[in-house]
Amino acid sequence: MTATDDIALNIVRAIAAVEGVNPHELDYSLHEHVSTDAVRSLAAMDHDDWELTFEVPDHTVTVDGRGAIGVDGELIGRSEAIRSDEPR
């Protein structure tokens, strides 16, 4: 899986990490609030000088061309997002 393929999954993991739940426990799907195809298209571009901000219930999410994901103004590290997939 490439970074482009899993950017949507990483966004979901980041939101779930902030919520303190596993990704499948979120009450909504990401594609209900942003076009995941558009996010993947942005990530596939040859340059990384872009930023996208959108809202999901209770949170503002920002993603940029370097792959950084912020939720409510806080940068969510990859390790934090991955931990949200682990059983609690």
Side-chain angles (χ1 to χ4, degrees):
M1 190 180 299
T2 67
T4 301
D5 292 335
D6 64 16
I7 190 166
L9 180 57
N10 288 340
I11 294 168
V12 171
R13 287 176 173 161
I15 296 167
V18 169
E19 292 271 334
V21 299
N22 289 318
H24 68 273
E25 294 176 302
L26 291 173
D27 292 335
Y28 55 87
S29 294
L30 184 62
H31 70 268
E32 295 170 347
H33 300 280
V34 67
S35 169
T36 53
D37 288 339
V39 173
R40 287 184 182 104
S41 292
L42 283 169
M45 293 191 328
D46 289 337
H47 57 86
D48 62 4
D49 61 341
W50 59 268
E51 180 177 283
L52 174 68
T53 300
F54 58 93
E55 293 186 6
V56 297
D58 301 319
H59 302 289
T60 300
V61 179
T62 301
V63 181
D64 71 24
R66 297 179 324 266
I69 300 170
V71 180
D72 301 329
E74 297 292 324
L75 185 63
I76 305 301
R78 188 172 184 86
S79 61
E80 290 175 271
I82 290 171
R83 274 200 304 261
S84 70
D85 269 350
E86 296 175 2
R88 295 185 183 267

